Amino acid sequence: MKQYLLSIYQPGGEGTVDPEFLAGVMRELGAIREELEASGCWVFGQGLHAPDTATVLRPKDGEVLVTDGPFVEGKEYLGGFTIIRAPDLDAALAWGRRYALATTLPIEVRPFQGEAGD
């Protein structure tokens, strides 16, 4: 089975999420993770801190400049990710749809390079 990255994109800004809504999202994500684990498709996943906690390393002239992140400013940012195993893109997209419906956020599904079937 190939591995796929499911990236979860969150809107930028300082808005707050209703705690009751967030609790429902977290319950649904927990149920999806349990299904992934039971099916042998789960590899790894985790949420990320906001982009302002990032540190960016930029190579230049044989040196590396260290700056506070984020690397780019945008309306959305990578808020978390999950790595799954799936037999094909259609199966990976089915899991991605579940994440999109559970979170109400955009999900990007991408295969890893260098695996069988590339």
Side-chain angles (χ1 to χ4, degrees), residues 31-66:
I32 295 169
R33 179 176 174 162
E34 287 177 11
E35 287 182 48
L36 281 164
E37 289 174 339
S39 68
C41 295
W42 175 261
V43 176
F44 179 79
Q46 193 67 42
L48 298 170
H49 286 284
D52 62 356
T53 65
T55 303
V56 179
L57 306 169
R58 289 185 176 89
K60 184 176 180 181
D61 301 325
E63 298 292 323
V64 177
L65 176 65
V66 179

Short mmCIF file of all heavy atoms in Angstrom, two decimals, residues 31-66:
data_model
loop_
_atom_site.label_atom_id
_atom_site.label_comp_id
_atom_site.label_asym_id
_atom_site.label_seq_id
_atom_site.Cartn_x
_atom_site.Cartn_y
_atom_site.Cartn_z
N ALA A 31 -12.88 9.20 16.11
CA ALA A 31 -13.55 8.03 15.51
C ALA A 31 -12.89 7.65 14.19
O ALA A 31 -12.69 6.45 13.91
CB ALA A 31 -15.04 8.34 15.30
N ILE A 32 -12.53 8.64 13.39
CA ILE A 32 -11.84 8.35 12.12
C ILE A 32 -10.50 7.70 12.40
O ILE A 32 -10.13 6.71 11.74
CB ILE A 32 -11.67 9.63 11.27
CG1 ILE A 32 -13.04 10.17 10.84
CG2 ILE A 32 -10.80 9.37 10.06
CD1 ILE A 32 -12.98 11.56 10.22
N ARG A 33 -9.77 8.22 13.37
CA ARG A 33 -8.47 7.63 13.70
C ARG A 33 -8.63 6.17 14.15
O ARG A 33 -7.85 5.30 13.75
CB ARG A 33 -7.76 8.44 14.78
CG ARG A 33 -6.43 7.82 15.14
CD ARG A 33 -5.67 8.64 16.13
NE ARG A 33 -4.46 7.93 16.54
CZ ARG A 33 -3.45 8.51 17.13
NH1 ARG A 33 -3.47 9.79 17.39
NH2 ARG A 33 -2.39 7.81 17.46
N GLU A 34 -9.63 5.90 14.97
CA GLU A 34 -9.87 4.52 15.41
C GLU A 34 -10.14 3.60 14.21
O GLU A 34 -9.64 2.48 14.16
CB GLU A 34 -11.03 4.46 16.39
CG GLU A 34 -10.69 5.02 17.76
CD GLU A 34 -11.87 5.01 18.71
OE1 GLU A 34 -12.92 4.39 18.39
OE2 GLU A 34 -11.75 5.64 19.78
N GLU A 35 -10.93 4.08 13.25
CA GLU A 35 -11.19 3.29 12.04
C GLU A 35 -9.92 3.07 11.22
O GLU A 35 -9.69 1.98 10.70
CB GLU A 35 -12.25 3.97 11.18
CG GLU A 35 -13.64 3.89 11.75
CD GLU A 35 -14.66 4.53 10.83
OE1 GLU A 35 -14.63 4.24 9.61
OE2 GLU A 35 -15.47 5.33 11.33
N LEU A 36 -9.11 4.13 11.08
CA LEU A 36 -7.84 3.99 10.36
C LEU A 36 -6.94 2.97 11.05
O LEU A 36 -6.34 2.12 10.38
CB LEU A 36 -7.13 5.35 10.27
CG LEU A 36 -7.64 6.31 9.21
CD1 LEU A 36 -7.14 7.72 9.49
CD2 LEU A 36 -7.20 5.85 7.83
N GLU A 37 -6.85 3.04 12.37
CA GLU A 37 -6.01 2.10 13.10
C GLU A 37 -6.52 0.67 12.94
O GLU A 37 -5.75 -0.26 12.70
CB GLU A 37 -5.93 2.49 14.58
CG GLU A 37 -5.11 3.73 14.83
CD GLU A 37 -5.15 4.20 16.28
OE1 GLU A 37 -6.08 3.84 17.02
OE2 GLU A 37 -4.23 4.95 16.66
N ALA A 38 -7.84 0.48 13.08
CA ALA A 38 -8.43 -0.86 12.97
C ALA A 38 -8.24 -1.45 11.57
O ALA A 38 -8.09 -2.66 11.43
CB ALA A 38 -9.92 -0.80 13.32
N SER A 39 -8.21 -0.60 10.55
CA SER A 39 -8.05 -1.08 9.18
C SER A 39 -6.58 -1.25 8.77
O SER A 39 -6.30 -1.71 7.68
CB SER A 39 -8.74 -0.12 8.20
OG SER A 39 -8.04 1.13 8.16
N GLY A 40 -5.66 -0.85 9.65
CA GLY A 40 -4.24 -0.94 9.33
C GLY A 40 -3.74 0.18 8.44
O GLY A 40 -2.63 0.11 7.92
N CYS A 41 -4.53 1.23 8.28
CA CYS A 41 -4.16 2.35 7.40
C CYS A 41 -3.49 3.50 8.13
O CYS A 41 -2.91 4.37 7.49
CB CYS A 41 -5.41 2.87 6.67
SG CYS A 41 -6.12 1.66 5.53
N TRP A 42 -3.57 3.55 9.45
CA TRP A 42 -3.00 4.66 10.23
C TRP A 42 -1.48 4.57 10.25
O TRP A 42 -0.91 3.52 10.50
CB TRP A 42 -3.53 4.62 11.65
CG TRP A 42 -2.92 5.64 12.55
CD1 TRP A 42 -1.91 5.44 13.44
CD2 TRP A 42 -3.26 7.02 12.64
NE1 TRP A 42 -1.61 6.61 14.09
CE2 TRP A 42 -2.42 7.60 13.62
CE3 TRP A 42 -4.18 7.82 12.00
CZ2 TRP A 42 -2.50 8.94 13.96
CZ3 TRP A 42 -4.26 9.16 12.34
CH2 TRP A 42 -3.43 9.71 13.31
N VAL A 43 -0.80 5.69 10.00
CA VAL A 43 0.65 5.77 10.16
C VAL A 43 0.98 6.77 11.26
O VAL A 43 1.58 6.43 12.27
CB VAL A 43 1.36 6.15 8.83
CG1 VAL A 43 2.86 6.32 9.06
CG2 VAL A 43 1.09 5.11 7.76
N PHE A 44 0.57 8.04 11.07
CA PHE A 44 0.89 9.08 12.04
C PHE A 44 0.04 10.30 11.74
O PHE A 44 -0.32 10.55 10.60
CB PHE A 44 2.37 9.46 11.96
CG PHE A 44 2.77 10.56 12.91
CD1 PHE A 44 2.99 10.30 14.24
CD2 PHE A 44 2.90 11.87 12.46
CE1 PHE A 44 3.33 11.31 15.13
CE2 PHE A 44 3.25 12.89 13.33
CZ PHE A 44 3.47 12.60 14.67
N GLY A 45 -0.24 11.10 12.74
CA GLY A 45 -0.93 12.37 12.54
C GLY A 45 -0.81 13.24 13.77
O GLY A 45 -0.67 12.73 14.88
N GLN A 46 -0.87 14.55 13.54
CA GLN A 46 -0.77 15.47 14.66
C GLN A 46 -1.16 16.87 14.21
O GLN A 46 -0.95 17.24 13.07
CB GLN A 46 0.66 15.50 15.21
CG GLN A 46 0.82 16.16 16.55
CD GLN A 46 0.13 15.39 17.65
OE1 GLN A 46 0.19 14.17 17.72
NE2 GLN A 46 -0.55 16.09 18.53
N GLY A 47 -1.70 17.66 15.13
CA GLY A 47 -1.95 19.06 14.88
C GLY A 47 -0.68 19.87 15.06
O GLY A 47 0.27 19.40 15.70
N LEU A 48 -0.66 21.06 14.51
CA LEU A 48 0.50 21.94 14.60
C LEU A 48 0.12 23.24 15.32
O LEU A 48 -1.03 23.68 15.25
CB LEU A 48 1.02 22.28 13.21
CG LEU A 48 1.51 21.10 12.38
CD1 LEU A 48 1.76 21.54 10.94
CD2 LEU A 48 2.78 20.52 12.98
N HIS A 49 1.09 23.86 15.95
CA HIS A 49 0.88 25.19 16.52
C HIS A 49 0.73 26.20 15.38
O HIS A 49 1.06 25.90 14.22
CB HIS A 49 2.07 25.60 17.41
CG HIS A 49 2.09 24.89 18.72
ND1 HIS A 49 1.24 25.20 19.76
CD2 HIS A 49 2.86 23.86 19.16
CE1 HIS A 49 1.48 24.41 20.78
NE2 HIS A 49 2.46 23.58 20.45
N ALA A 50 0.28 27.39 15.69
CA ALA A 50 0.06 28.44 14.69
C ALA A 50 1.38 28.81 14.00
O ALA A 50 2.46 28.61 14.56
CB ALA A 50 -0.53 29.68 15.37
N PRO A 51 1.30 29.36 12.79
CA PRO A 51 2.50 29.69 12.03
C PRO A 51 3.45 30.66 12.73
O PRO A 51 4.65 30.63 12.47
CB PRO A 51 1.96 30.33 10.75
CG PRO A 51 0.56 29.88 10.64
CD PRO A 51 0.08 29.63 12.04
N ASP A 52 2.95 31.49 13.61
CA ASP A 52 3.83 32.45 14.28
C ASP A 52 4.80 31.78 15.25
O ASP A 52 5.71 32.41 15.78
CB ASP A 52 3.05 33.57 14.97
CG ASP A 52 2.14 33.08 16.07
OD1 ASP A 52 2.03 31.85 16.30
OD2 ASP A 52 1.52 33.93 16.72
N THR A 53 4.65 30.47 15.47
CA THR A 53 5.59 29.73 16.31
C THR A 53 6.72 29.09 15.49
O THR A 53 7.64 28.51 16.06
CB THR A 53 4.88 28.62 17.10
OG1 THR A 53 4.38 27.65 16.17
CG2 THR A 53 3.75 29.18 17.95
N ALA A 54 6.65 29.23 14.17
CA ALA A 54 7.63 28.59 13.28
C ALA A 54 8.96 29.34 13.27
O ALA A 54 9.01 30.54 13.53
CB ALA A 54 7.08 28.53 11.86
N THR A 55 10.01 28.62 12.96
CA THR A 55 11.33 29.19 12.71
C THR A 55 11.73 28.76 11.31
O THR A 55 11.62 27.59 10.96
CB THR A 55 12.36 28.69 13.73
OG1 THR A 55 11.89 29.01 15.05
CG2 THR A 55 13.72 29.31 13.50
N VAL A 56 12.16 29.71 10.49
CA VAL A 56 12.51 29.43 9.11
C VAL A 56 14.03 29.50 8.94
O VAL A 56 14.68 30.43 9.43
CB VAL A 56 11.82 30.45 8.16
CG1 VAL A 56 12.21 30.19 6.71
CG2 VAL A 56 10.32 30.41 8.34
N LEU A 57 14.58 28.51 8.26
CA LEU A 57 16.01 28.44 7.98
C LEU A 57 16.20 28.64 6.48
O LEU A 57 15.68 27.88 5.68
CB LEU A 57 16.56 27.07 8.39
CG LEU A 57 16.27 26.69 9.85
CD1 LEU A 57 16.62 25.24 10.09
CD2 LEU A 57 17.02 27.59 10.79
N ARG A 58 16.95 29.70 6.11
CA ARG A 58 17.16 30.03 4.69
C ARG A 58 18.66 29.97 4.37
O ARG A 58 19.43 30.75 4.92
CB ARG A 58 16.65 31.43 4.38
CG ARG A 58 15.16 31.57 4.40
CD ARG A 58 14.76 32.99 3.95
NE ARG A 58 13.34 33.13 3.87
CZ ARG A 58 12.55 33.51 4.86
NH1 ARG A 58 13.06 33.78 6.03
NH2 ARG A 58 11.25 33.62 4.69
N PRO A 59 19.04 29.06 3.44
CA PRO A 59 20.46 29.02 3.06
C PRO A 59 20.81 30.19 2.13
O PRO A 59 20.01 30.56 1.28
CB PRO A 59 20.58 27.69 2.31
CG PRO A 59 19.22 27.43 1.78
CD PRO A 59 18.26 28.04 2.76
N LYS A 60 21.98 30.79 2.37
CA LYS A 60 22.45 31.87 1.50
C LYS A 60 23.96 31.96 1.61
O LYS A 60 24.50 32.14 2.71
CB LYS A 60 21.81 33.20 1.89
CG LYS A 60 22.20 34.32 0.95
CD LYS A 60 21.49 35.62 1.28
CE LYS A 60 21.93 36.68 0.31
NZ LYS A 60 21.32 37.95 0.56
N ASP A 61 24.62 31.82 0.48
CA ASP A 61 26.08 31.98 0.41
C ASP A 61 26.81 31.09 1.42
O ASP A 61 27.74 31.52 2.09
CB ASP A 61 26.48 33.44 0.63
CG ASP A 61 25.87 34.37 -0.41
OD1 ASP A 61 25.73 33.94 -1.58
OD2 ASP A 61 25.52 35.51 -0.05
N GLY A 62 26.37 29.84 1.55
CA GLY A 62 27.04 28.90 2.44
C GLY A 62 26.69 29.06 3.91
O GLY A 62 27.20 28.35 4.75
N GLU A 63 25.84 30.01 4.24
CA GLU A 63 25.39 30.23 5.61
C GLU A 63 23.89 29.94 5.68
O GLU A 63 23.24 29.77 4.66
CB GLU A 63 25.64 31.68 6.03
CG GLU A 63 27.10 32.08 6.03
CD GLU A 63 27.89 31.38 7.11
OE1 GLU A 63 27.35 31.17 8.22
OE2 GLU A 63 29.05 31.01 6.85
N VAL A 64 23.36 29.91 6.88
CA VAL A 64 21.93 29.71 7.07
C VAL A 64 21.39 30.83 7.95
O VAL A 64 21.84 31.01 9.08
CB VAL A 64 21.63 28.34 7.70
CG1 VAL A 64 20.13 28.19 7.95
CG2 VAL A 64 22.13 27.21 6.81
N LEU A 65 20.45 31.59 7.39
CA LEU A 65 19.80 32.67 8.12
C LEU A 65 18.60 32.09 8.87
O LEU A 65 17.78 31.39 8.28
CB LEU A 65 19.34 33.75 7.13
CG LEU A 65 18.55 34.91 7.71
CD1 LEU A 65 19.42 35.73 8.67
CD2 LEU A 65 18.01 35.79 6.60
N VAL A 66 18.51 32.37 10.14
CA VAL A 66 17.42 31.88 10.98
C VAL A 66 16.49 33.06 11.27
O VAL A 66 16.93 34.08 11.80
CB VAL A 66 17.96 31.28 12.30
CG1 VAL A 66 16.82 30.79 13.18
CG2 VAL A 66 18.96 30.16 12.01
#
